[in-house]
Amino acid sequence: MASKHALSRSPSPSVRAGSPQLHSPKRTRGVPGILASHHIFILQAKLSHEDISEMFELAERAGADVVSSPNDADVVITAIAMRRRLERHLDWDLAKQKYLVTPDWLRGSVAQGRPLPCADYAACPELKEATERARPRSGPPPPEKSPSKSRSRSPSSPYDPPPRAARANLGPPAFLLPPSVRPPSVQLDHAARLCCSRASPLVCVNQPLCAALDVLRRSRALESNERSALSYARAIASAFPRKITARERGEVQNLPYVGAKISKMIDEYLFHGHIPEVEEARRSERFAALSLFSTIHGIGPVTARRLYDRGLRSLRDLEAYYEVDMGFKPVENSDSTDMNIRIALELRDDLTLTIPRKDVETIHATIVDHLEAVLPGCVSTIVGRVCVRAPHIYRRGKPASNDIDIVFTHPDANSTKDLCTRLVDRLRSAGLVTHVMHLSGFHEQNVLRTAHWDSLEKALTVYRTPGDGRYRRVDLIFALPETYWTAVVGWTGGTMFERDLRSAAKAVGLKFDSSGITRRRDSKLIYPRSEKEVFDIIGLPWVDPTLRNTDA
């Protein structure tokens, strides 16, 4: 029913402390470089996550260039044998230009230490003859280069950057760039149990009902009744695709997480136009005060209740309690809850305003310019709710937002040490960042995932725009190149969408959060090379960012 708010590197002395220590596949003597001239795309549909991991490891071991788009590939590895199913993932005319082979081609080539004939491993019977005579636009894979001329690679990392001298003339590697073609839409089941498999547009056809139920969700959350709040959040995220009428009551009652109590509320809404319990909550002085307090950055449910119990009821009460006045000048680096609340109160007239898309793009461009001066060659994506339609960048579709979240990375992980701090220092020197609410460096990979998002480097800042001098909340999130796309997915989705992503990953033996995907049985890290590959690895249908708005 709803809407709200997404490489391998071997341990070595040169890898800084705190960097993820990634898996290093074993090498077979004589194998490295046998596929160094091949550009391979791994079509992950129908492959298990073990098979996907194996394909990446074998391709890396053989020196192949694993690309993020079939358009850039000479060889496409797939387990799909039927044309009808294949066309869901790959244009048929494009498929006829490629060597379309089964995973056994890669296994056999590595085992025998030489590229095997593609025609012997044609994946689709209808393409066997095309595979035999295929002439991709870039030509067939050229013969193997001699070892002395093969591309140099570290033992386990296909993502190692070229030498620094050569890097200046190269753009970012393909795996860090958005796809040149937007992933095709797929039919999503509105009755799927997990909302990360359903379509949740920014504004749904039942938005007034969602807004009413969200009052009860917020009321429960403000009282720290997490179980009840979660029940309402799940119902709001049910994403029924048609306007609910009396005729659909039976179908709605069968949706996941719509139980007897919420069904009764839906009936009340249908027949009376309102829900009595919602109206009662809206009239509550306590709910009004707690809701008001929670709009201030740094005030959560526990702090809001503590302030209410001390007799505070309004923003003026908050200002007096925190000793805020027009002369207040907080320190620039606080990372203190009380200090952050004082900053948010002092600047609330600006921080509560929405930021138009045009301003978001201008702020992003300015920050990117400064980052380029600190470390050339970085890549970034604006995440969160805001709608940004720069070339091939599609986020969640909201025309304006209360803050800006930007995920950054750089192809050379070893160059990014303290990059977040260096960027913030430069922005502060330029008068653009006035306050830093929180600043953290990279942390060692949390394999047990006892907390989320901890291993990313983050700066939660207040940014002052040149010209109008308005203050804006800007969050800068830095990810290592191998976890860039999990960071993008982890910061692009409603709360319930991200929660269900973690549940879906757990169901297939994985752990997911924005700092990476880990295989549970052996803690092996898996690295998607695109946003869509995050979904493929977990075994989920592709959900466009504009359909991940699972909150009201």
Side-chain angles (χ1 to χ4, degrees):
M1 283 180 320
S3 47
K4 173 182 169 193
H5 233 18
L7 307 169
S8 298
R9 188 174 299 279
S10 60
S12 72
S14 63
V15 178
R16 65 182 179 279
S19 294
Q21 298 302 297
L22 312 183
H23 176 78
S24 294
K26 294 181 180 179
R27 306 292 295 260
T28 302
R29 186 181 300 276
V31 166
I34 64 166
L35 299 178
S37 57
H38 291 61
H39 306 290
I40 293 176
F41 175 75
I42 300 170
L43 183 58
Q44 298 184 13
K46 284 200 71 178
L47 292 174
S48 68
H49 58 271
E50 288 89 353
D51 289 335
I52 294 169
S53 178
E54 179 194 12
M55 290 298 100
F56 276 105
E57 288 185 8
L58 291 176
E60 294 162 12
R61 191 188 310 174
D65 181 16
V66 182
V67 298
S68 59
S69 168
N71 295 286
D72 302 324
D74 299 314
V75 179
V76 174
I77 295 175
T78 179
I80 299 175
M82 297 175 59
R83 171 175 177 173
R84 190 172 177 182
R85 179 168 291 183
L86 180 67
E87 286 183 308
R88 298 178 189 173
H89 308 278
L90 188 65
D91 180 78
W92 187 250
D93 290 333
L94 180 63
K96 290 190 289 187
Q97 300 175 27
K98 309 296 179 182
Y99 293 94
L100 214 70
V101 296
T102 66
D104 285 339
W105 172 83
L106 183 55
R107 295 185 181 110
S109 295
V110 172
Q112 296 191 32
R114 62 184 179 86
L116 298 177
C118 291
D120 293 347
Y121 296 87
C124 182
E126 295 179 66
L127 286 177
K128 182 173 176 60
E129 291 186 7
T131 299
E132 289 177 341
R133 63 175 185 271
R135 290 294 180 268
R137 281 171 289 182
S138 59
E144 177 188 352
K145 296 180 181 179
S146 63
S148 62
K149 295 182 180 179
S150 295
R151 256 184 313 185
S152 173
R153 285 178 180 265
S154 65
S156 66
S157 179
Y159 299 158
D160 284 349
R164 188 178 300 272
R167 194 158 56 234
N169 297 321
L170 298 175
F175 72 88
L176 289 179
L177 297 176
S180 56
V181 179
R182 194 175 185 177
S185 299
V186 297
Q187 187 67 37
L188 298 171
D189 181 8
H190 75 272
R193 185 167 182 80
L194 298 179
C195 60
C196 55
S197 296
R198 303 193 294 257
S200 299
L202 182 67
V203 178
C204 72
V205 292
N206 297 294
Q207 195 67 32
L209 173 58
C210 291
L213 293 176
D214 193 55
V215 171
L216 299 180
R217 181 200 64 79
R218 289 189 290 115
S219 174
R220 304 302 190 268
L222 287 168
E223 300 294 348
S224 291
N225 187 344
E226 297 299 335
R227 184 172 181 177
S228 180
L230 179 60
S231 295
Y232 285 108
R234 289 197 180 282
I236 290 167
S238 292
F240 194 70
R242 301 183 299 279
K243 188 170 180 62
I244 298 174
T245 64
R247 181 178 299 178
E248 279 87 17
R249 285 170 57 207
E251 187 176 351
V252 172
Q253 289 171 352
N254 291 327
L255 290 175
Y257 306 111
V258 177
K261 183 176 181 179
I262 292 178
S263 292
K264 180 182 177 181
M265 291 181 177
I266 293 174
D267 287 344
E268 291 173 337
Y269 182 84
L270 289 176
F271 293 112
H272 304 295
H274 67 275
I275 301 171
E277 191 173 347
V278 172
E279 299 307 311
E280 182 180 350
R282 284 173 169 159
R283 291 192 296 268
S284 165
E285 178 192 59
R286 179 179 175 88
F287 174 70
L290 296 181
S291 297
L292 178 65
F293 296 165
S294 68
T295 64
I296 303 301
H297 177 77
I299 298 182
V302 173
T303 302
R305 292 197 303 273
R306 175 172 59 82
L307 295 171
Y308 184 87
D309 291 344
R310 293 187 177 184
L312 280 66
R313 298 291 184 271
S314 67
L315 291 179
R316 287 188 178 276
D317 293 342
L318 284 181
E319 289 178 342
Y321 181 83
Y322 284 101
E323 300 178 341
V324 174
D325 56 46
M326 295 306 293
F328 170 62
K329 297 296 180 184
V331 296
E332 292 180 338
N333 277 5
S334 63
D335 222 355
S336 156
T337 299
D338 282 357
M339 187 63 71
N340 286 341
I341 293 172
R342 296 177 73 185
I343 295 171
L345 280 169
E346 176 73 12
L347 306 177
R348 70 180 185 278
D349 289 343
D350 282 353
L351 298 184
T352 55
L353 293 175
T354 58
I355 311 172
R357 191 186 83 186
K358 182 179 179 181
D359 290 353
V360 171
E361 295 174 356
T362 300
I363 292 171
H364 175 234
T366 301
I367 292 175
V368 166
D369 286 344
H370 283 274
L371 182 59
E372 188 71 12
V374 175
L375 179 64
C378 287
V379 178
S380 64
T381 298
I382 301 173
V383 291
R385 281 179 152 197
V386 74
C387 172
V388 176
R389 291 183 179 268
H392 314 302
I393 299 177
Y394 302 85
R395 292 298 101 197
R396 292 174 57 194
K398 192 172 183 180
S401 179
N402 289 105
D403 62 3
I404 306 171
D405 302 322
I406 310 172
V407 175
F408 297 90
T409 193
H410 189 277
D412 183 2
N414 293 319
S415 297
T416 60
K417 182 176 175 59
D418 298 326
L419 181 57
C420 188
T421 302
R422 285 184 279 157
L423 174 61
V424 169
D425 287 345
R426 181 179 175 89
L427 293 173
R428 191 163 51 196
S429 297
L432 296 172
V433 164
T434 58
H435 307 92
V436 181
M437 317 283 259
H438 174 74
L439 182 63
S440 68
F442 285 115
H443 297 279
E444 191 168 346
Q445 189 74 24
N446 184 358
V447 176
L448 296 179
R449 291 291 194 274
T450 53
H452 296 291
W453 304 347
D454 269 356
S455 65
L456 299 177
E457 187 177 17
K458 298 181 291 294
L460 312 184
T461 73
V462 176
Y463 180 100
R464 191 174 191 181
T465 56
D468 62 12
R470 291 197 180 278
Y471 294 92
R472 308 293 195 183
R473 277 281 316 281
V474 178
D475 295 344
L476 309 173
I477 305 105
F478 285 78
L480 295 172
E482 51 264 37
T483 59
Y484 178 64
W485 290 113
T486 53
V488 169
V489 172
W491 284 75
T492 305
T495 303
M496 288 307 307
F497 187 92
E498 298 297 334
R499 185 186 184 106
D500 279 2
L501 263 182
R502 297 194 287 273
S503 297
K506 183 177 181 180
V508 295
L510 302 173
K511 296 177 184 177
F512 167 84
D513 64 27
S514 61
S515 59
I517 299 177
T518 308
R519 196 163 61 193
R520 286 176 175 268
R521 62 182 171 87
D522 58 5
S523 298
K524 180 184 183 300
L525 295 166
I526 300 172
Y527 307 117
R529 297 172 67 94
S530 68
E531 189 173 12
K532 184 177 182 300
E533 277 192 17
V534 174
F535 291 81
D536 292 342
I537 290 169
I538 299 175
L540 294 170
W542 165 251
V543 180
D544 190 86
T546 58
L547 300 177
R548 302 179 200 170
N549 300 284
T550 51
D551 302 336

